[in-house]
Amino acid sequence: GEVAMALAFDEYGRPFIILREQEHKTRLRGLEAQKANIAAGKAVARILRTSLGPKGMDKMLQSPDGDVIITNDGATILEQMDVDNQIAKLMVELSRSQDYEIGDGTTGVVVLAGALLEQSEKLLERGIHPIRIAEGYEMASRIAWDHLEQISQKFEFSVTNIEPLVQTCSTTLSSKIVSRRKRDLAAIAVEAVLAVADLERRDVNLDLIKVEGKVGGKLEDTELVHGIIVDKDMSHPQMPKRIEDAKIAILTCPFEPPKPKTKHKVDIDTVEKFQTLRQQEQKYFDDMVQKCKDVGATLVICQWGFDDEANHLLMHRNLPAVRWVGGVELELIAIATGGRIVPRFQELTPEKLGRAGIVREKSFGTTKDRMLYIEQCANSRAVTIFIRGGNKMMIEETKRSIHDALCVARNLIRNNSIVYGGGSAEISCSVAVEAAADRHPGVEQYAIRAFAEALDAIPMALAENSGLQPIDTLTAVKSQQVKENNPYCGIDCNDVGTNDMREQDVFETLIGKQQQILLATQVVKMILKIDDVITPSDY
Ligand code: ADP
């Protein structure tokens, strides 16, 4: 039975994979199973291959509700794809793991896995048992892992010399759609990471960095705010637009009198009774406001809303308020201002108030758009990167790119070893793994050699995407590496005139590159060990 595999597009233009068995067999076994699985994995890798590198193509994806996403980020492309095949899902998972652990290299890891699968196919055809292939790959990946360590360098920076960090983030952004402003964005990312970093413990809590975007303005208006920005405004236009030395009550309980529910029967048959009830309600709310004032709050931030009447009263009693603030934001505000979230009104005490030097409302352009800036917070470590851009698509892609840059800076603070990019590290590993194959007499040597060849897929894809002849370019660069004993020669994607990636300042973190090799090998080993695929017969 032949296995037919096709790449198709759904009605929204999102690619997906159809794996169809002729003769409607419901079960694939042995070699057939492995081949079918490899085909599915390769198909996913093929989609990402053209996105790799600074000259990689962007993908345009449309979600079922009509939102259009334009992205160059591997994890995002896969996230949006509607893959119906289990193996394809593993590849999606692979990219996600790289994103989770490292945050960068999400395209490369899938391309590498695809290349390893392609090599496996050849080995299977030569009659080599999948378990032997898996073992050979495992050995090879360890050799590559160690070799990466050998060619790595220490990346020196300090709080007084952050330029190297900015350079690195800038490299990450150079393959993104936002590359036009890579330098500014990189500087913002580094400043944000350093603001929340604990350099002594080499720890960075990225949760303290909020990335917020608002349509309008230009990408160059993107700024770092030392504090929190919330996409909300004061609940009443006549409330003050600027509060100094704010003491903030952060409420997750309703800030309004309990509503008479229809379940509880209230008899209102006279105007007097209605009036009394109204007065009771008003008094109740008045007491709430007084309680806030008594504990010393000068601003109330609420998770829930309150009606116009309550709003009016708040304005009159001179207690500014912000309503409908999301849970995640409330938490961030609490952390930043050193306040506590108050779930029940009775629990409100002076110690639970958050503190901020300035809370101000800022309006944008001629629009009614307003945002709330909470600055000079008690815990000054929380920051917000506020992205501006012409449309939602641009802002979302900038968010994703900034995320990558933040991760790179964080990774360098955690571990400041780097390897050079542009495929140079892969080529160097390929040479080392190839040499090691000769020292293994067993069948594994074929798999080890195949692994070396798979590593070449990265520089080849980079070359091809830059319009260079892939095989010629790779051969030339590889022999240059060997001849000059220089592991930093890679693909000159941007036609700078040198392929020494040290001179081009193109590098990646050592842990990121090692993780790519580890994860790609793991997933391919997993796929190779599946020899029985059972699919429902109506598939
Ligand atoms: P990923 O999602 O895997 O990070 P990218 O599309 O960002 O994929 O491409 C990263 C690859 O591009 C890496 O191999 C990196 O070394 C390479 N690269 C980035 N910038 C350059 C450059 N200026 N010249 C050559 N290679 C580059």
Side-chain angles (χ1 to χ4, degrees):
E2 262 294 291
V3 175
M5 199 272 319
L7 179 64
F9 294 87
D10 68 10
E11 64 267 44
Y12 305 111
R14 288 175 306 181
F16 66 98
I17 284 145
I18 304 173
L19 192 62
R20 206 185 306 112
E21 301 145 42
Q22 284 163 13
E23 301 154 31
H24 294 283
K25 255 193 285 167
T26 55
R27 196 159 188 182
L28 289 176
R29 277 194 160 137
L31 202 54
E32 233 170 62
Q34 276 125 5
K35 280 190 179 167
N37 290 340
I38 287 171
K42 270 169 54 186
V44 172
R46 203 158 48 227
I47 297 169
L48 288 202
R49 202 172 179 275
T50 53
S51 301
L52 188 73
K55 293 289 168 80
M57 293 297 208
D58 306 326
K59 305 278 181 213
M60 184 161 162
L61 307 148
Q62 193 176 354
S63 74
D65 48 14
D67 275 352
V68 173
I69 295 178
I70 295 182
T71 185
N72 178 286
D73 183 61
T76 308
I77 296 169
L78 290 181
E79 203 74 49
Q80 296 294 323
M81 264 170 45
D82 186 14
V83 287
D84 202 22
N85 173 282
Q86 294 308 316
I87 299 299
K89 280 190 186 140
L90 274 182
M91 302 291 270
V92 176
E93 208 46 56
L94 167 70
S95 185
R96 207 179 282 152
S97 316
Q98 176 80 19
D99 195 30
Y100 182 76
E101 301 274 344
I102 306 293
D104 189 32
T106 56
T107 313
V109 71
V110 174
V111 174
L112 181 60
L116 285 169
L117 287 173
E118 195 163 338
Q119 293 296 327
S120 318
E121 206 170 20
K122 290 189 202 157
L123 296 170
L124 287 172
E125 254 152 33
R126 289 172 65 183
I128 299 177
H129 194 277
I131 298 296
R132 305 306 288 277
I133 301 175
E135 281 167 3
Y137 279 3
E138 178 65 38
M139 288 178 198
S141 79
R142 272 195 235 124
I143 296 162
W145 176 286
D146 293 341
H147 185 73
L148 283 172
E149 200 125 2
Q150 280 170 29
I151 59 171
S152 73
Q153 296 202 339
K154 283 290 173 207
F155 177 82
E156 302 300 343
F157 69 92
S158 66
V159 210
T160 48
N161 176 25
I162 62 165
E163 177 56 24
L165 272 180
V166 177
Q167 285 270 338
T168 314
C169 291
S170 185
T171 307
T172 307
L173 296 172
S174 59
S175 60
K176 312 283 179 198
I177 294 175
V178 295
S179 61
R180 185 170 60 85
R181 306 298 311 176
K182 61 180 178 185
R183 176 83 216 176
D184 308 347
L185 294 176
I188 287 175
V190 170
E191 206 190 320
V193 168
L194 286 175
V196 304
D198 181 341
L199 290 179
E200 224 144 79
R201 289 175 45 229
R202 289 180 162 271
D203 188 31
V204 181
N205 181 3
L206 288 188
D207 291 340
L208 289 173
I209 302 176
K210 186 175 187 231
V211 184
E212 181 70 60
K214 193 158 194 73
V215 175
K218 296 192 293 278
L219 189 55
E220 32 275 69
D221 299 330
T222 297
E223 58 172 341
L224 180 72
V225 177
H226 288 269
I228 309 279
I229 303 185
V230 192
D231 194 354
K232 288 282 174 303
D233 50 7
M234 297 293 179
S235 61
H236 197 287
Q238 282 165 34
M239 284 174 181
K241 308 236 171 299
R242 184 184 169 94
I243 303 163
E244 274 173 36
D245 220 352
K247 300 188 181 56
I248 311 166
I250 306 162
L251 305 177
T252 53
C253 47
F255 193 35
E256 58 182 3
K259 288 257 151 24
K261 303 216 173 69
T262 40
K263 266 193 250 161
H264 308 205
K265 235 175 154 225
V266 199
D267 286 319
I268 309 173
D269 38 22
T270 65
V271 176
E272 287 72 36
K273 274 192 187 167
F274 177 74
Q275 291 285 358
T276 322
L277 187 73
R278 233 183 91 84
Q279 274 161 12
Q280 277 170 357
E281 278 188 5
Q282 253 193 9
K283 164 110 180 39
Y284 190 95
F285 188 68
D286 222 35
D287 289 347
M288 284 176 115
V289 174
Q290 192 54 45
K291 166 95 175 160
C292 291
K293 296 211 134 202
D294 287 346
V295 297
T298 56
L299 173 68
V300 187
I301 294 183
C302 311
Q303 186 168 30
W304 305 108
F306 33 79
D307 59 21
D308 283 349
E309 207 181 318
N311 200 15
H312 196 75
L313 194 80
L314 283 167
M315 194 269 290
H316 262 282
R317 303 276 323 252
N318 198 18
L319 183 62
V322 185
R323 56 186 158 178
W324 298 122
V325 178
V328 180
E329 289 184 318
L330 277 183
E331 241 167 75
L332 208 53
I333 292 171
I335 295 173
T337 61
R340 295 271 292 278
I341 291 179
V342 177
R344 265 185 312 204
F345 217 86
Q346 307 86 277
E347 292 172 17
L348 190 61
T349 56
E351 308 79 58
K352 289 187 177 158
L353 299 180
R355 279 154 196 277
I358 294 176
V359 177
R360 62 192 169 101
E361 197 183 88
K362 190 173 169 186
S363 43
F364 291 91
T366 53
T367 60
K368 295 188 307 233
D369 270 341
R370 287 183 291 262
M371 307 275 281
L372 200 70
Y373 283 57
I374 306 171
E375 291 163 298
Q376 300 172 13
C377 299
N379 176 1
S380 59
R381 297 206 304 144
V383 294
T384 305
I385 297 174
F386 185 39
I387 298 169
R388 306 306 312 277
N391 58 50
K392 189 156 166 268
M393 240 161 27
M394 213 35 219
I395 285 175
E396 291 305 313
E397 177 66 359
T398 308
K399 277 189 186 173
R400 288 188 285 272
S401 306
I402 288 267
H403 166 77
D404 283 13
L406 292 174
C407 287
V408 167
R410 175 201 59 191
N411 295 346
L412 280 172
I413 288 172
R414 283 187 183 163
N415 180 339
N416 68 337
S417 295
I418 54 156
V419 290
Y420 286 89
S424 66
E426 285 87 352
I427 295 173
S428 183
C429 283
S430 171
V431 174
V433 170
E434 170 95 49
D438 298 336
R439 297 194 292 271
H440 285 268
V443 178
E444 291 83 13
Q445 66 174 294
Y446 299 105
I448 297 174
R449 255 187 220 110
F451 193 99
E453 216 169 303
L455 285 167
D456 289 341
I458 299 289
M460 287 221 276
L462 288 174
E464 196 170 340
N465 293 346
S466 312
L468 300 165
Q469 214 292 322
I471 296 176
D472 291 354
T473 312
L474 173 71
T475 314
V477 175
K478 201 180 239 185
S479 60
Q480 191 187 349
Q481 274 211 11
V482 175
K483 203 168 69 202
E484 296 173 8
N485 192 22
N486 177 357
Y488 313 124
C489 296
I491 308 298
D492 181 12
C493 291
N494 290 330
D495 201 16
V496 175
T498 168
N499 56 19
D500 191 319
M501 292 297 136
R502 242 178 343 177
E503 282 169 38
Q504 287 209 26
D505 259 325
V506 174
F507 49 80
E508 297 163 57
T509 58
L510 172 66
I511 49 173
K513 188 61 53 190
Q514 283 179 323
Q515 190 72 15
Q516 276 186 333
I517 289 183
L518 181 87
L519 289 176
T521 307
Q522 264 176 8
V523 80
V524 169
K525 274 172 61 187
M526 201 189 298
I527 293 173
L528 282 171
K529 285 180 180 168
I530 301 169
D531 72 345
D532 202 345
V533 178
I534 303 166
T535 34
S537 51
D538 61 346
Y539 181 58

